[in-house]
């Protein structure tokens, strides 16, 4: 059962990293579930303090991810249309990787620009607002990715530390 929990926890870690970029998946909370599954094995002692702190961080980052793009957009004079355009641009980047790895950067900006232009902003205001929305998106995405990677590092470190108990058949 420990092996199944370990594998399932690792899968949640990978999905959490993907969730850092996909707007439909809450990356850090999914990564946290991976940590919870690891600590649910009989080989690792349950540490409620560690799990509580990491859960609080995951939920804080999850909440901030919704606030930061709006703050960036408002700071640069944008509207909700820019934020929606950024999200649509991200989805387009994931479905149609026309610009390759740069699409994850280009499409959200184009989406924010189009959103602001459709909201009747002039080109200068729309570009400025799109840039703010884009910066907010990048900040939120980077923050989620960083937390998911740190959680993966904690997962691997703890699994490695208890590898003899998790994999007794290798001894």
């Amino acid at each position: 059962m420990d092996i199944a929990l370990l594998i399932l926890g690792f899968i949640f870690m990978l999905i959490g990293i993907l969730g850092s970029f996909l707007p439909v998946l809450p990356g850090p909370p999914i990564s946290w579930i991976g940590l919870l599954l690891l600590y649910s094995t009989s080989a690792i002692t349950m540490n409620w303090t560690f799990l509580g702190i990491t859960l609080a961080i995951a939920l804080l980052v999850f909440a901030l991810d919704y606030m930061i793009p709006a703050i960036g957009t408002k700071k640069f004079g944008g509207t909700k249309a820019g934020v929606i355009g950024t999200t649509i641009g991200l989805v387009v980047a994931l479905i149609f990787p026309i610009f390759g790895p740069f699409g994850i950067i280009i499409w959200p900006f184009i989406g924010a620009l189009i959103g602001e232009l459709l909201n009747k902003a002039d080109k200068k205001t729309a570009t400025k607002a799109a840039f703010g929305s884009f910066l907010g998106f990048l900040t939120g995405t980077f923050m989620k990715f960083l937390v998911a990677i740190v959680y993966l590092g904690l997962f691997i470190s703890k699994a490695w530390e208890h590898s003899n108990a998790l994999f007794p058949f290798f001894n």
Side-chain angles (χ1 to χ4, degrees), residues 60-94:
L60 177 67
V61 168
F62 179 71
L64 285 174
D65 184 48
Y66 285 98
M67 296 180 341
I68 289 173
I71 292 169
T73 301
K74 293 292 182 192
K75 188 89 170 158
F76 285 83
T79 63
K80 189 172 182 176
V83 175
I84 293 169
T86 301
T87 304
I88 292 171
L90 175 63
V91 171
V92 169
L94 295 171

Short mmCIF file of all heavy atoms in Angstrom, two decimals, residues 60-94:
data_model
loop_
_atom_site.label_atom_id
_atom_site.label_comp_id
_atom_site.label_asym_id
_atom_site.label_seq_id
_atom_site.Cartn_x
_atom_site.Cartn_y
_atom_site.Cartn_z
N LEU A 60 -2.86 30.05 0.57
CA LEU A 60 -2.52 31.46 0.42
C LEU A 60 -2.12 31.77 -1.03
O LEU A 60 -2.59 32.74 -1.63
CB LEU A 60 -1.40 31.86 1.37
CG LEU A 60 -0.90 33.29 1.25
CD1 LEU A 60 -1.98 34.27 1.69
CD2 LEU A 60 0.36 33.49 2.08
N VAL A 61 -1.26 30.93 -1.59
CA VAL A 61 -0.82 31.11 -2.98
C VAL A 61 -2.01 30.96 -3.92
O VAL A 61 -2.14 31.71 -4.90
CB VAL A 61 0.32 30.12 -3.33
CG1 VAL A 61 0.58 30.08 -4.81
CG2 VAL A 61 1.58 30.52 -2.58
N PHE A 62 -2.89 30.02 -3.63
CA PHE A 62 -4.09 29.82 -4.44
C PHE A 62 -4.95 31.09 -4.45
O PHE A 62 -5.42 31.54 -5.49
CB PHE A 62 -4.88 28.63 -3.91
CG PHE A 62 -6.16 28.34 -4.64
CD1 PHE A 62 -6.14 27.82 -5.92
CD2 PHE A 62 -7.38 28.60 -4.04
CE1 PHE A 62 -7.32 27.55 -6.59
CE2 PHE A 62 -8.56 28.34 -4.70
CZ PHE A 62 -8.54 27.82 -5.99
N ALA A 63 -5.13 31.69 -3.28
CA ALA A 63 -5.92 32.92 -3.17
C ALA A 63 -5.22 34.09 -3.85
O ALA A 63 -5.85 34.87 -4.58
CB ALA A 63 -6.21 33.24 -1.71
N LEU A 64 -3.93 34.23 -3.63
CA LEU A 64 -3.16 35.32 -4.24
C LEU A 64 -3.16 35.24 -5.75
O LEU A 64 -3.11 36.27 -6.43
CB LEU A 64 -1.72 35.32 -3.72
CG LEU A 64 -1.51 35.85 -2.31
CD1 LEU A 64 -0.05 35.66 -1.89
CD2 LEU A 64 -1.91 37.31 -2.21
N ASP A 65 -3.23 34.03 -6.28
CA ASP A 65 -3.22 33.86 -7.73
C ASP A 65 -4.42 34.52 -8.39
O ASP A 65 -4.36 34.93 -9.53
CB ASP A 65 -3.18 32.37 -8.09
CG ASP A 65 -3.08 32.15 -9.58
OD1 ASP A 65 -2.22 32.80 -10.23
OD2 ASP A 65 -3.85 31.35 -10.12
N TYR A 66 -5.52 34.64 -7.65
CA TYR A 66 -6.70 35.32 -8.19
C TYR A 66 -6.63 36.84 -7.98
O TYR A 66 -7.24 37.59 -8.72
CB TYR A 66 -7.98 34.76 -7.55
CG TYR A 66 -8.32 33.41 -8.08
CD1 TYR A 66 -7.96 32.26 -7.39
CD2 TYR A 66 -8.94 33.28 -9.31
CE1 TYR A 66 -8.25 31.01 -7.91
CE2 TYR A 66 -9.23 32.03 -9.83
CZ TYR A 66 -8.88 30.91 -9.13
OH TYR A 66 -9.15 29.66 -9.64
N MET A 67 -5.87 37.26 -6.99
CA MET A 67 -5.81 38.68 -6.69
C MET A 67 -4.70 39.40 -7.45
O MET A 67 -4.89 40.55 -7.86
CB MET A 67 -5.63 38.88 -5.18
CG MET A 67 -6.82 38.36 -4.41
SD MET A 67 -6.81 38.49 -2.61
CE MET A 67 -5.19 38.74 -2.09
N ILE A 68 -3.57 38.77 -7.65
CA ILE A 68 -2.41 39.43 -8.27
C ILE A 68 -2.70 39.91 -9.70
O ILE A 68 -2.37 41.06 -10.02
CB ILE A 68 -1.15 38.53 -8.20
CG1 ILE A 68 -0.67 38.46 -6.76
CG2 ILE A 68 -0.05 39.05 -9.10
CD1 ILE A 68 0.45 37.50 -6.52
N PRO A 69 -3.27 39.08 -10.60
CA PRO A 69 -3.54 39.61 -11.95
C PRO A 69 -4.50 40.80 -11.92
O PRO A 69 -4.32 41.76 -12.68
CB PRO A 69 -4.17 38.43 -12.69
CG PRO A 69 -3.65 37.23 -11.99
CD PRO A 69 -3.55 37.64 -10.55
N ALA A 70 -5.48 40.76 -11.05
CA ALA A 70 -6.42 41.88 -10.95
C ALA A 70 -5.70 43.13 -10.45
O ALA A 70 -5.94 44.24 -10.96
CB ALA A 70 -7.57 41.53 -10.03
N ILE A 71 -4.82 42.97 -9.49
CA ILE A 71 -4.05 44.11 -8.97
C ILE A 71 -3.15 44.68 -10.07
O ILE A 71 -3.07 45.90 -10.26
CB ILE A 71 -3.23 43.69 -7.73
CG1 ILE A 71 -4.16 43.38 -6.56
CG2 ILE A 71 -2.23 44.77 -7.35
CD1 ILE A 71 -3.49 42.70 -5.39
N GLY A 72 -2.46 43.78 -10.80
CA GLY A 72 -1.60 44.23 -11.89
C GLY A 72 -2.37 44.96 -12.97
O GLY A 72 -1.93 45.99 -13.49
N THR A 73 -3.54 44.43 -13.30
CA THR A 73 -4.36 45.06 -14.33
C THR A 73 -4.85 46.43 -13.87
O THR A 73 -4.75 47.42 -14.61
CB THR A 73 -5.57 44.16 -14.65
OG1 THR A 73 -5.09 42.90 -15.10
CG2 THR A 73 -6.42 44.77 -15.75
N LYS A 74 -5.35 46.52 -12.65
CA LYS A 74 -5.86 47.80 -12.13
C LYS A 74 -4.73 48.82 -12.00
O LYS A 74 -4.91 50.00 -12.28
CB LYS A 74 -6.53 47.60 -10.76
CG LYS A 74 -7.80 46.79 -10.84
CD LYS A 74 -8.89 47.55 -11.55
CE LYS A 74 -10.17 46.74 -11.56
NZ LYS A 74 -11.15 47.28 -12.46
N LYS A 75 -3.55 48.35 -11.57
CA LYS A 75 -2.40 49.24 -11.39
C LYS A 75 -2.02 49.91 -12.71
O LYS A 75 -1.56 51.04 -12.73
CB LYS A 75 -1.23 48.44 -10.83
CG LYS A 75 -0.05 49.23 -10.43
CD LYS A 75 -0.18 49.67 -9.01
CE LYS A 75 1.15 50.26 -8.55
NZ LYS A 75 0.97 51.12 -7.43
N PHE A 76 -2.19 49.19 -13.81
CA PHE A 76 -1.83 49.71 -15.13
C PHE A 76 -3.05 50.23 -15.89
O PHE A 76 -2.99 50.43 -17.10
CB PHE A 76 -1.12 48.63 -15.94
CG PHE A 76 0.30 48.40 -15.50
CD1 PHE A 76 0.58 47.57 -14.42
CD2 PHE A 76 1.35 49.02 -16.16
CE1 PHE A 76 1.88 47.35 -14.01
CE2 PHE A 76 2.66 48.80 -15.75
CZ PHE A 76 2.93 47.97 -14.67
N GLY A 77 -4.17 50.41 -15.19
CA GLY A 77 -5.35 51.01 -15.81
C GLY A 77 -6.22 50.07 -16.61
O GLY A 77 -6.98 50.50 -17.47
N GLY A 78 -6.15 48.80 -16.35
CA GLY A 78 -6.92 47.82 -17.12
C GLY A 78 -8.26 47.51 -16.48
O GLY A 78 -8.63 48.04 -15.44
N THR A 79 -8.97 46.61 -17.14
CA THR A 79 -10.30 46.21 -16.68
C THR A 79 -10.36 44.69 -16.56
O THR A 79 -9.40 43.98 -16.87
CB THR A 79 -11.38 46.66 -17.69
OG1 THR A 79 -11.14 45.99 -18.94
CG2 THR A 79 -11.34 48.16 -17.90
N LYS A 80 -11.51 44.20 -16.16
CA LYS A 80 -11.73 42.75 -16.04
C LYS A 80 -11.59 42.08 -17.41
O LYS A 80 -11.20 40.93 -17.51
CB LYS A 80 -13.10 42.49 -15.44
CG LYS A 80 -13.33 41.05 -15.08
CD LYS A 80 -14.63 40.86 -14.32
CE LYS A 80 -14.78 39.41 -13.94
NZ LYS A 80 -15.95 39.17 -13.13
N ALA A 81 -11.90 42.82 -18.48
CA ALA A 81 -11.77 42.27 -19.83
C ALA A 81 -10.32 41.87 -20.13
O ALA A 81 -10.07 40.88 -20.81
CB ALA A 81 -12.26 43.29 -20.86
N GLY A 82 -9.37 42.64 -19.60
CA GLY A 82 -7.96 42.29 -19.78
C GLY A 82 -7.58 41.01 -19.06
O GLY A 82 -6.83 40.19 -19.59
N VAL A 83 -8.11 40.84 -17.86
CA VAL A 83 -7.84 39.62 -17.09
C VAL A 83 -8.44 38.41 -17.80
O VAL A 83 -7.81 37.36 -17.94
CB VAL A 83 -8.39 39.75 -15.65
CG1 VAL A 83 -8.21 38.45 -14.89
CG2 VAL A 83 -7.70 40.88 -14.92
N ILE A 84 -9.68 38.56 -18.29
CA ILE A 84 -10.33 37.47 -19.02
C ILE A 84 -9.57 37.17 -20.30
O ILE A 84 -9.35 36.01 -20.65
CB ILE A 84 -11.81 37.83 -19.30
CG1 ILE A 84 -12.59 37.88 -17.99
CG2 ILE A 84 -12.44 36.83 -20.27
CD1 ILE A 84 -13.99 38.46 -18.11
N GLY A 85 -9.12 38.21 -20.99
CA GLY A 85 -8.34 38.02 -22.21
C GLY A 85 -7.04 37.28 -21.94
O GLY A 85 -6.61 36.44 -22.72
N THR A 86 -6.40 37.59 -20.80
CA THR A 86 -5.16 36.90 -20.42
C THR A 86 -5.42 35.41 -20.24
O THR A 86 -4.65 34.57 -20.72
CB THR A 86 -4.60 37.49 -19.12
OG1 THR A 86 -4.34 38.88 -19.32
CG2 THR A 86 -3.32 36.80 -18.71
N THR A 87 -6.49 35.07 -19.55
CA THR A 87 -6.83 33.67 -19.31
C THR A 87 -7.15 32.96 -20.62
O THR A 87 -6.68 31.83 -20.85
CB THR A 87 -8.03 33.57 -18.35
OG1 THR A 87 -7.70 34.27 -17.14
CG2 THR A 87 -8.35 32.13 -18.03
N ILE A 88 -7.91 33.61 -21.49
CA ILE A 88 -8.22 33.01 -22.80
C ILE A 88 -6.94 32.83 -23.60
O ILE A 88 -6.73 31.79 -24.25
CB ILE A 88 -9.26 33.86 -23.55
CG1 ILE A 88 -10.61 33.78 -22.84
CG2 ILE A 88 -9.39 33.41 -25.01
CD1 ILE A 88 -11.65 34.75 -23.36
N GLY A 89 -6.04 33.82 -23.54
CA GLY A 89 -4.76 33.70 -24.23
C GLY A 89 -3.94 32.52 -23.73
O GLY A 89 -3.29 31.83 -24.51
N LEU A 90 -3.98 32.27 -22.44
CA LEU A 90 -3.27 31.12 -21.87
C LEU A 90 -3.84 29.82 -22.40
O LEU A 90 -3.10 28.90 -22.78
CB LEU A 90 -3.33 31.15 -20.35
CG LEU A 90 -2.73 29.93 -19.65
CD1 LEU A 90 -1.24 29.83 -19.94
CD2 LEU A 90 -2.98 29.99 -18.17
N VAL A 91 -5.16 29.73 -22.44
CA VAL A 91 -5.81 28.51 -22.95
C VAL A 91 -5.44 28.30 -24.42
O VAL A 91 -5.12 27.18 -24.83
CB VAL A 91 -7.34 28.58 -22.75
CG1 VAL A 91 -8.05 27.44 -23.45
CG2 VAL A 91 -7.68 28.59 -21.26
N VAL A 92 -5.45 29.36 -25.20
CA VAL A 92 -5.05 29.27 -26.61
C VAL A 92 -3.61 28.78 -26.71
O VAL A 92 -3.29 27.92 -27.54
CB VAL A 92 -5.23 30.63 -27.33
CG1 VAL A 92 -4.57 30.63 -28.69
CG2 VAL A 92 -6.71 30.96 -27.47
N ALA A 93 -2.73 29.30 -25.85
CA ALA A 93 -1.32 28.89 -25.88
C ALA A 93 -1.16 27.40 -25.59
O ALA A 93 -0.30 26.73 -26.17
CB ALA A 93 -0.51 29.70 -24.87
N LEU A 94 -2.01 26.88 -24.71
CA LEU A 94 -1.91 25.47 -24.35
C LEU A 94 -2.51 24.55 -25.42
O LEU A 94 -2.00 23.46 -25.65
CB LEU A 94 -2.59 25.22 -23.01
CG LEU A 94 -1.93 25.93 -21.83
CD1 LEU A 94 -2.80 25.81 -20.58
CD2 LEU A 94 -0.55 25.39 -21.58
#
